[in-house]
Amino acid sequence: MRFKTDITNITTFTKLISCLSSISKVAWLKLDEEQIHFTLMQEPTVQVFATLSKETLFSTYRIASASSNTINLEVPLPILLRALRSCASSPTATLRLTKRAADNVPILCITVSTTPSSSTLVTQEVPVRVLAPATVAGLCEPEVPPPQVSVVLPGLAAVRGVVERMNRLGVKRVRLEARRTQGGGREFRMGVVGEEVTVESVWRGLGTGLAYYMSSLSD
Amino acid sequence: MSSLKFVLSASASQRVHDILSCLSKFSEYVCLEARRNRFTLSALNSTKSAYGGISLSSGEFFESYSFEAIGSNESTEPPRFTCRLYSKALLAAFRQRYSDSKGSSAIDRCEVSFEDDPSRPECRILVQLVCGHGVLKTYKLTYEEVEVMAPVFDKGQAPNRWTVQARLMKEYMEHFGPKAEGLDITSNNGRAVFTSFTEKVTDGKEILKLPMHTSIALDTSGFDDWLAEDKVNVAISLKDMKAIIMHAASLNTTISTFYSEAGRPFQVTYDHEGMRCQFTLMTMTQVSNSQTFAAITRVNNRPAPGPTPLHTPGPAPRSSAPLFRAGASQRDSTQSQQAIQGDYEESYRPQTQPVQTQFQVNTLTQRILPHQSSPQAISQVPPSQHVPQGLFLPYDTEDEDSDDDDLGKGLEEWEPRLRWDSGCNDNAMPSILVVRDQIAPGIRVDEREDEKESEEEEEEEDMGPMVGPTQQVSQARGLFDF
């Protein structure tokens, strides 16, 4: 089993891992010849299925394994994040799967030069666990029925601001609603009901994402 | 009885605050020692594996400084006053500075005086911060008078050394994970490698608990000076080193390190404007298997002839016998832990006792200067009789300057061995016998420092009485006990 690649887009990679690590501490990382898959299924309330093509993050991508050149790893996200953060200052880094000589623990080894010209090399070793194909065979994204309404959310910064304000009201659940209005546009509502206060935000005149969804299904 | 007063400028108060916050990372107590022309703050951690001492020169650092030992001090020694107090308490007195520094009530100066009046029930330090607009903040802190122990480190026995800008080291430190415990330092062929690691042994199932190792390989040309031998591995506590580097970087100075090999002490020193800082850390006795980092060979970008064999130091080569006779047993992690504990005992002279077997006692007494022997020997023999004549020079041959140079004394002035000094207590203050299974700071006075002149190097020590071990190994404190 071999895996070695250059990380060309460290910033995006770091942001992705940062986002994922706030949801769960452990991820299943599946590497195959063309794509990278991150699956987070540990939390009971939320699961994440992320797929990227290898060119998004990597170049000079080399992978080889006994099971159709696919490698499945269990990766601790906070540690990976820490390792990536220390690479922030340089444009490229190398990522490699190997074993720590001392105790034979498989690791993802990230090697980076602190500045492009310097010969200072920083190596971060992230311990991982190799998952057998049998273990992951059963894990897959759940089937989601086709949508009845699809709406493109308003700017995420605005939505986030609203969510944060609602969060401070001490409520646990938020109700999301999307509907098609008379004029054909779409409306999106978020509402919380607290002990003393009810807050609802409505966005109108939004577009539909249905066309995009249909086209991605046919891929 | 003595009287000590000094005045610090505003920036010097800031420095003292930084010193205290650095020392407080080692121990909850800070020890103060005053001599005629210098004042030292020091801290010793609870496992006695790390010591930090910062010596302030009375002329350069203080606006004014006066120390008089009133009372009966023997003529053979210079006046000296030692005490300790909670570092948090002293830090609190100096911390006020931050909020004031920007406002109009900024500190103008800080006056400190020690009230050592036997008629009053408690000893007090009086810290007065004179601020703008006539505001005066007064802190009264209690202290206890104890003897202060300082390690003796022979730079001549530490051939490996390097010097580097503290700022540069600080940048490197930032790459290390926050949970890493140890820092391994080695070099090979012009490349220096710093690796952070954790000793904990886990079974690999809990992936989150497995440690992250970080390795930084750099050209030794990046250092101001690199005079360390290749393939020598030493490992120290990363937290301690971080605390030291942070402090040194705040002074924007250059640090120098001195060490010899695994298991022997490691010293970091730096100076700045009347402050002389010296930290002595214990290194781990042997680099166990888990620490032979693949990174050491991998990051060697130079075309190495085939895979370079990993440097597995195994039991560190030391002059004394290994504590566990079977060499193979040292691979086992539990035994290596004990080996660390045992070695620590050996190098650090007992407050804890050397491990049992007669053989080892014999070996150990060759290394450790026996007249400096264990507290038990001291308890049996009154201190004044115990000290050979040659150690202490007549008072009048001593320079004023020798006080200043103590910490920086070179080869010719220190005994040719590395050890902790539990010198005999010679002055009027009662020595405090330490309960042997309790590790408390402030134990023995380091008399050696004041009395010795360069010529007086002791070559022969008489063999003191052989003392059998009196403490169980299980009670001994190891380097990284949790």
Side-chain angles (χ1 to χ4, degrees), chain B residues 122-347:
Chain B
E122 282 176 317
C123 300
R124 288 217 160 88
I125 300 178
L126 193 70
V127 179
Q128 289 188 309
L129 303 166
V130 178
C131 310
H133 298 303
V135 172
L136 180 72
K137 298 183 192 176
T138 305
Y139 295 85
K140 286 191 181 175
L141 309 166
T142 52
Y143 62 84
E144 47 172 325
E145 284 194 39
V146 289
E147 291 309 318
V148 169
M149 182 163 94
V152 173
F153 183 84
D154 181 358
K155 287 194 173 127
Q157 287 265 308
N160 295 320
R161 45 188 77 182
W162 40 268
T163 317
V164 73
Q165 289 288 324
R167 285 261 160 92
L168 202 59
M169 276 306 285
K170 183 176 163 181
E171 276 173 32
Y172 298 144
M173 294 278 139
E174 276 159 14
H175 288 288
F176 295 129
K179 289 197 185 141
E181 292 164 1
L183 175 65
D184 176 276
I185 302 169
T186 186
S187 66
N188 195 5
N189 199 15
R191 303 277 289 175
V193 181
F194 292 81
T195 310
S196 74
F197 61 90
T198 311
E199 277 268 2
K200 283 195 181 117
V201 174
T202 52
D203 60 6
K205 295 226 174 87
E206 276 296 328
I207 196 176
L208 290 173
K209 303 216 179 111
L210 286 173
M212 169 172 117
H213 288 191
T214 307
S215 198
I216 302 183
L218 7 122
D219 267 346
T220 53
S221 54
F223 289 76
D224 288 4
D225 243 327
W226 183 274
L227 297 166
E229 209 183 301
D230 273 356
K231 300 213 171 65
V232 172
N233 264 32
V234 287
I236 51 178
S237 154
L238 181 61
K239 288 201 176 92
D240 291 345
M241 191 61 169
K242 267 189 178 166
I244 298 170
I245 301 291
M246 291 298 149
H247 183 241
S250 73
L251 300 174
N252 199 12
T253 176
T254 313
I255 60 164
S256 308
T257 62
F258 303 88
Y259 55 99
S260 53
E261 59 187 0
R264 306 291 290 267
F266 178 99
Q267 189 173 77
V268 183
T269 62
Y270 50 95
D271 298 340
H272 182 80
E273 284 178 16
M275 289 169 51
R276 198 173 286 181
C277 309
Q278 191 184 68
F279 291 84
T280 307
L281 306 172
M282 202 53 201
T283 56
M284 301 187 204
T285 36
Q286 66 165 34
V287 180
S288 61
N289 262 344
S290 67
Q291 296 161 25
T292 52
F293 303 106
I296 293 175
T297 54
R298 198 168 291 127
V299 299
N300 244 335
N301 277 343
R302 318 268 163 83
T308 320
L310 294 173
H311 175 51
T312 41
R318 284 168 300 131
S319 52
S320 62
L323 284 165
F324 291 86
R325 301 297 286 148
S329 69
Q330 284 178 329
R331 301 282 164 200
D332 178 55
S333 60
T334 50
Q335 288 220 339
S336 75
Q337 188 65 23
Q338 287 176 11
I340 289 171
Q341 288 179 3
D343 288 334
Y344 150 73
E345 291 172 331
E346 173 191 286
S347 307

Side-chain angles (χ1 to χ4, degrees), chain A residues 25-26 74-76 78-79 82 86 96 98-102 105 109 114 119-125 127-129, chain B residues 172 174-178 191 204 207-208 210-219 289-290 292 294 298-299 301 310:
Chain A
K25 294 221 155 81
V26 177
E74 192 182 40
V75 176
I79 300 182
R82 192 114 217 326
S86 82
R96 188 175 45 203
T98 178
K99 269 192 181 177
R100 199 184 274 162
V105 166
C109 195
T114 49
S119 57
T120 306
L121 271 179
V122 180
T123 307
Q124 303 273 14
E125 297 179 357
V128 298
R129 193 154 73 94
Chain B
Y172 298 144
E174 276 159 14
H175 288 288
F176 295 129
R191 303 277 289 175
I207 196 176
L208 290 173
L210 286 173
M212 169 172 117
H213 288 191
T214 307
S215 198
I216 302 183
L218 7 122
D219 267 346
N289 262 344
S290 67
T292 52
R298 198 168 291 127
V299 299
N301 277 343
L310 294 173

Side-chain angles (χ1 to χ4, degrees), chain A residues 175-218:
Chain A
R175 195 186 74 249
L176 304 176
E177 205 178 301
R179 64 162 95 144
R180 207 176 331 188
T181 56
Q182 292 292 23
R186 303 291 190 272
E187 190 179 275
F188 175 67
R189 280 171 197 257
M190 290 174 71
V192 291
V193 177
E195 278 186 19
E196 298 161 337
V197 63
T198 303
V199 178
E200 191 177 60
S201 296
V202 184
W203 285 271
R204 295 194 181 88
L206 300 170
T208 175
L210 203 55
Y212 176 77
Y213 180 79
M214 297 303 290
S215 67
S216 71
L217 277 184
S218 62

